[in-house]
């Protein structure tokens, strides 16, 4: 179900997925999309998580650039060539979504989730893919009062030398974390994975920080050539365990 959210720089679209069965109330979670935006694959993933007993909000974090339908990939991404073509259109938007812009929107996403009918008052979860993993970490750092679970999968740039690197905010977080990194991902090298792990440990956070063997960047996106079925199912298992332990425990 699509909704509209008043965000920092205008009105943003968002997808909402609810459990197929049950009367609720249900814990709320935010799903941060990958660079290719809101599309049927994101809706499918949101619904799968919702059917575990959650209400899922997936905002169009690129709302400054246009509507989700306008930004959706125009090519078949199940071929490497099609994915590369779609990336040339999508990746510049990632760069334009600066940390300052992303941080300005976080309260809007959290408020919108809490305002949905049937969402249990109290702790929430945040998880994301690709650049969405960075947004999930920033959300956990910005709102430690409500974010109890945070996860990122095939994320990039989570621990860099930049002064606004996401891992630098972990000292403020209170969530439990799960990361599933793509193998040989140039956006998240072994040194970066180790740096992220060090920051999690220094902050005293309970966390899993794993590399998924053989899985390339984008492994969970079944509408692209990067899809890796085994890694995708592993990420769903680990995400569900995290959410159930923190939001239903």
């Amino acid at each position: 179900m699509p909704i509209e959210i008043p965000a920092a720089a205008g009105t943003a679209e968002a997808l909402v997925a609810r459990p197929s069965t049950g009367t609720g109330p249900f814990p709320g979670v935010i799903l941060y999309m990958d660079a290719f935006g809101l599309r049927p694959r994101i809706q499918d993933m949101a619904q799968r998580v919702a059917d575990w007993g959650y209400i899922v909000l997936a905002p169009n974090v690129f709302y400054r650039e246009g509507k989700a339908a306008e930004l959706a990939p125009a090519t078949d991404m199940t071929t490497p060539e099609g994915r590369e073509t779609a990336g040339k259109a999508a990746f510049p938007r990632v760069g334009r979504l600066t940390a300052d812009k992303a941080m300005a929107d976080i309260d809007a996403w959290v408020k919108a989730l809490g305002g949905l009918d049937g969402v249990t008052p109290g702790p929430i979860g945040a998880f994301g893919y690709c650049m969405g993993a960075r947004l999930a970490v920033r959300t956990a750092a910005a709102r430690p009062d409500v974010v109890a679970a945070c996860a990122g999968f095939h994320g990039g740039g989570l621990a860099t030398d930049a002064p606004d690197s996401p891992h630098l905010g972990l000292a403020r977080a209170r969530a439990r974390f799960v990361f599933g990194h793509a193998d040989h991902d140039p956006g998240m090298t072994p040194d970066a994975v180790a740096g992220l792990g060090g920051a999690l440990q220094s902050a005293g956070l309970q966390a899993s920080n794993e590399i998924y063997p053989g899985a390339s960047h984008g492994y969970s996106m079944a509408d692209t050539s990067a899809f890796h079925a085994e890694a995708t199912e592993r990420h769903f298992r680990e995400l569900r365990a995290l959410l159930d332990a923190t939001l239903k425990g």
Side-chain angles (χ1 to χ4, degrees):
M1 179 184 72
I3 65 169
E4 292 188 338
I5 298 171
T11 301
E13 303 161 278
L15 299 175
V16 176
R18 297 176 177 275
S20 300
T21 60
T23 57
F26 303 100
V29 296
I30 300 172
L31 186 168
Y32 286 112
M33 66 199 198
D34 65 347
F36 297 124
L38 295 186
R39 59 195 192 282
R41 175 55 179 166
I42 299 298
Q43 178 72 67
D44 291 346
M45 296 172 81
Q47 189 59 54
R48 179 162 175 174
V49 174
D51 285 336
W52 300 339
Y54 298 94
I55 295 177
V56 184
L57 176 78
N60 174 22
V61 301
F62 291 144
Y63 70 95
R64 295 173 179 84
E65 306 266 352
K67 298 287 189 180
E70 298 168 347
L71 304 177
T75 61
D76 178 3
M77 296 192 295
T78 59
T79 67
E81 297 80 11
R83 184 171 180 266
E84 182 179 0
T85 298
K88 289 178 180 178
F91 297 154
R93 293 195 288 267
V94 177
R96 291 192 292 269
L97 183 60
T98 62
D100 287 346
K101 290 178 180 177
M103 293 292 287
D105 290 325
I106 286 173
D107 282 344
W109 311 144
V110 172
K111 181 178 179 181
L113 177 65
L116 294 173
D117 288 343
V119 171
T120 306
I124 66 171
F127 65 101
Y129 303 88
C130 181
M131 58 101 187
R134 296 197 296 272
L135 300 178
V137 173
R138 295 193 192 283
T139 301
R143 294 299 307 269
D145 56 316
V146 292
V147 180
C150 182
F153 302 99
H154 50 83
L158 291 168
T160 72
D161 294 331
D164 59 359
S165 176
H167 80 292
L168 298 176
L170 289 172
R172 300 189 298 274
R174 296 293 180 269
R176 184 184 301 186
F177 287 81
V178 166
F179 293 99
H181 305 289
D183 201 1
H184 302 293
D185 188 341
M188 200 62 192
T189 64
D191 284 347
V193 173
L196 176 63
L200 291 162
Q201 185 174 18
S202 295
L205 297 166
Q206 187 173 350
S208 172
N209 186 41
E210 302 290 332
I211 295 176
Y212 290 7
S216 62
H217 184 79
Y219 61 75
S220 69
M221 297 300 155
D223 58 352
T224 79
S225 59
F227 180 62
H228 189 289
E230 182 180 351
T232 297
E233 290 307 308
R234 177 180 174 181
H235 114 270
F236 275 125
R237 289 193 302 271
E238 295 183 0
L239 176 61
R240 184 172 189 175
L242 170 71
L243 296 179
D244 286 355
T246 54
L247 304 183
K248 293 183 178 180

